[in-house]
Amino acid sequence: MEKKDLQFETKAIHGGYQPQEHQGSLVPPLYQTSTYTFANSQQGERRFAGEEEGFIYSRLGNPTVKILEDRIAELEKGEAGLAFASGMAAVSAVLVALTKAGDHILCSQGVYGCTFGLLNLLKDKYAIDHKFSLMNTRESLEQEIRENTACIYIETPINPTMKLVDLELVAAVAKERGIPVIVDNTFCSPYLQTPITHGCDIVIHSATKYICGHGDVIAGLVIGKKDFIQKVSRTTQKDIGGIISPFDAWLLLRGLKTLPVRMDRHCENASRLVEFLSGHPKVESIYFPGGSDYPDDAQIMNKQMKKPGGLISFTLKGTKETAQFFMNQLKLVKIAVSLGDAETLIQHPATMTHAVVPAEDRKKMGIDDTLLRLSVGLEAWEDIKEDLEQALEKV
Ligand code: LCS
């Protein structure tokens, strides 16, 4: 059977790796090396000139990292992948590769706080402007795309409001104008959503999250067309240098093997907790893909997501202090940023992940002071529910 015929669960375990090319080692070996010896000076010359394939120096490529890049490309149904030291290293390498001074970026109405910070940095230092857009109709997209729009940047679901963006709609409008569409697919992982199959061009991950799955790595991934990935690899990755360490790539290869089973459990737990929170008198709103607070999103979800995911955002009746008091009562659920780990985590976006976003912009993004974001872990859902229940009782 051809590799492309294999199912996701199988590719997550075997993708990009041939044991026979590595002494038969069942597990991909960890090439913990910074450089590679050349057989002679001419071979070094040929490798630098691009006339001969082979490794040169680990900032330019590493065999363990390459297995990870090939595996994630298969899972995202893209041509090639590239691994980075963090999600932000991936986001910045892509945006810097696609823009020049005077350009414009059209962005979803809400992004991770540091992506918001990066957009402002690009604007302040290099006059690369941006506009936040709801991206919910063809007409508004057509109006918001400018002549100098160099790329469209989407998070869906958006961190932390869980609002969805219709990937096929945006990709269709962008394609007519030849504008690349970038999707930050961190909240879904390729198990729940593959933006390239919906016409988008570039996928980004904070691999720190579901792809790692164990809260012990900071890393980023980019997937796209071969020529684009090669361009990033030879410019904004090589010369800015935000590369992943071979050991972190090795840990991500391990994490990926269990991505499908972990995601199923995250999703199952989250659905049960949404049910519990929905009926609770102290909860005001719940933001969850396909839920009743964004009625239009159910249709988008069915089109592009396999399941709603493992993140739940919700507001409590009360104030910022109510939300903080509630968090402080939790025992099992840990107060921490990040997401996608085995442990259930809760954070307060207005004062944590999105604290860098000015209050006025937070309001536009829908980040209320009472909003909480729960990253549902892999524990027994009954135990998580009990912890939430006892904390809500005290509010
Ligand atoms: N994109 C999204 C959607 C994210 O949520 C994050 C980090 C990043 C990119 C950046 O990735 P990193 O450099 O951290 O690997 N999000 C975080 C969050 O929501 N809590 O803590 C970090």
Side-chain angles (χ1 to χ4, degrees):
M1 203 196 288
E2 285 287 315
K3 260 271 152 59
K4 63 178 183 296
D5 296 322
L6 298 173
Q7 299 208 30
F8 188 97
E9 290 78 356
T10 311
K11 291 197 278 191
I13 295 168
H14 296 280
Y17 183 57
Q18 297 290 346
Q20 294 322 314
E21 291 173 9
H22 300 273
Q23 316 285 352
S25 176
L26 175 69
V27 171
L30 170 56
Y31 285 86
Q32 188 72 24
T33 184
S34 56
T35 198
Y36 306 83
T37 57
F38 305 128
N40 51 50
S41 58
Q42 288 80 8
Q43 184 180 52
E45 183 180 9
R46 287 195 301 277
R47 292 215 178 151
F48 269 91
E51 293 162 6
E52 178 186 298
E53 289 226 347
F55 293 96
I56 295 174
Y57 180 66
S58 278
R59 180 157 42 73
L60 318 182
N62 169 283
T64 307
V65 174
K66 177 78 168 58
I67 298 163
L68 170 68
E69 292 170 339
D70 290 348
R71 185 170 297 177
I72 193 65
E74 275 194 41
L75 296 177
E76 280 289 357
K77 298 187 164 48
E79 287 180 11
L82 205 53
F84 290 84
S86 68
M88 287 317 301
V91 175
S92 55
V94 167
L95 287 181
V96 173
L98 286 173
T99 55
K100 60 180 187 315
D103 277 348
H104 172 252
I105 300 168
L106 191 65
C107 184
S108 54
Q109 180 76 31
V111 277
Y112 169 56
C114 295
T115 304
F116 180 90
L118 175 68
L119 289 171
N120 280 336
L121 182 150
L122 293 174
K123 184 174 174 178
D124 295 344
K125 285 184 82 84
Y126 306 111
I128 297 163
D129 203 1
H130 59 266
K131 181 176 169 50
F132 293 107
S133 161
L134 288 172
M135 302 188 176
N136 56 354
T137 63
R138 169 174 271 273
E139 294 69 35
S140 64
L141 278 162
E142 282 171 347
Q143 274 176 9
E144 283 161 343
I145 290 174
R146 300 184 197 158
E147 224 157 74
N148 59 343
T149 301
C151 58
I152 298 180
Y153 190 94
I154 300 171
E155 269 184 26
T156 181
I158 293 174
N159 184 358
T161 56
M162 307 306 294
K163 186 91 191 74
L164 303 186
V165 175
D166 184 335
L167 294 176
E168 283 175 11
L169 171 70
V170 181
V173 179
K175 203 166 202 148
E176 287 164 12
R177 291 157 182 78
I179 300 171
V181 177
I182 309 157
V183 182
D184 183 330
N185 203 24
T186 299
F187 273 33
C188 281
S189 89
Y191 183 61
L192 299 183
Q193 179 172 274
T194 47
I196 290 171
T197 62
H198 297 283
C200 301
D201 302 280
I202 297 153
V203 174
I204 294 181
H205 282 284
S206 166
T208 313
K209 313 291 160 42
Y210 289 111
I211 288 176
C212 170
H214 296 76
D216 46 17
V217 172
I218 299 270
L221 293 164
V222 176
I223 303 93
K225 287 242 155 62
K226 232 178 210 150
D227 56 355
F228 175 73
I229 292 298
Q230 200 167 62
K231 176 184 159 178
V232 174
S233 145
R234 290 177 182 175
T235 57
T236 49
Q237 185 185 55
K238 172 175 81 69
D239 298 333
I240 298 177
I243 54 137
I244 194 170
S245 80
F247 181 56
D248 285 348
W250 187 87
L251 285 172
L252 293 186
L253 281 165
R254 184 164 77 165
L256 272 174
K257 291 184 188 184
T258 55
L259 178 70
V261 279
R262 287 188 285 106
M263 288 313 290
D264 280 341
R265 176 64 169 262
H266 284 299
C267 293
E268 165 81 15
N269 279 359
S271 293
R272 288 182 184 271
L273 293 173
V274 162
E275 219 168 280
F276 160 70
L277 290 168
S278 299
H280 202 285
K282 290 182 182 163
V283 175
E284 189 168 53
S285 305
I286 299 183
Y287 305 104
F288 188 66
S292 58
D293 281 278
Y294 296 130
D296 295 346
D297 283 4
Q299 194 205 351
I300 302 176
M301 191 191 82
N302 291 334
K303 238 183 2 177
Q304 65 197 35
M305 292 169 71
K306 184 175 166 143
K307 293 179 182 187
L311 285 147
I312 307 167
S313 288
F314 60 99
T315 55
L316 294 181
K317 291 173 184 160
T319 60
K320 168 184 153 189
E321 286 69 29
T322 316
Q324 290 182 322
F325 176 84
F326 165 73
M327 291 169 86
N328 292 343
Q329 309 314 308
L330 293 163
K331 293 172 181 151
L332 179 70
V333 175
K334 305 296 179 231
I335 302 174
V337 294
S338 203
L339 57 106
D341 294 333
E343 297 83 358
T344 297
L345 307 178
I346 194 162
Q347 68 111 357
H348 183 243
T351 59
M352 295 178 183
T353 52
H354 291 69
V356 297
V357 180
E360 194 185 312
D361 294 292
R362 279 206 305 270
K363 203 168 171 195
K364 281 189 214 153
M365 290 180 179
I367 305 172
D368 194 90
D369 276 357
T370 65
L371 186 75
L372 292 165
R373 190 193 71 192
L374 190 71
S375 168
V376 179
L378 304 176
E379 303 96 337
W381 73 270
E382 294 92 336
D383 292 333
I384 310 169
K385 182 198 137 214
E386 218 162 273
D387 195 28
L388 295 173
E389 198 165 29
Q390 64 80 23
L392 281 168
E393 254 166 42
K394 293 182 185 145
V395 169

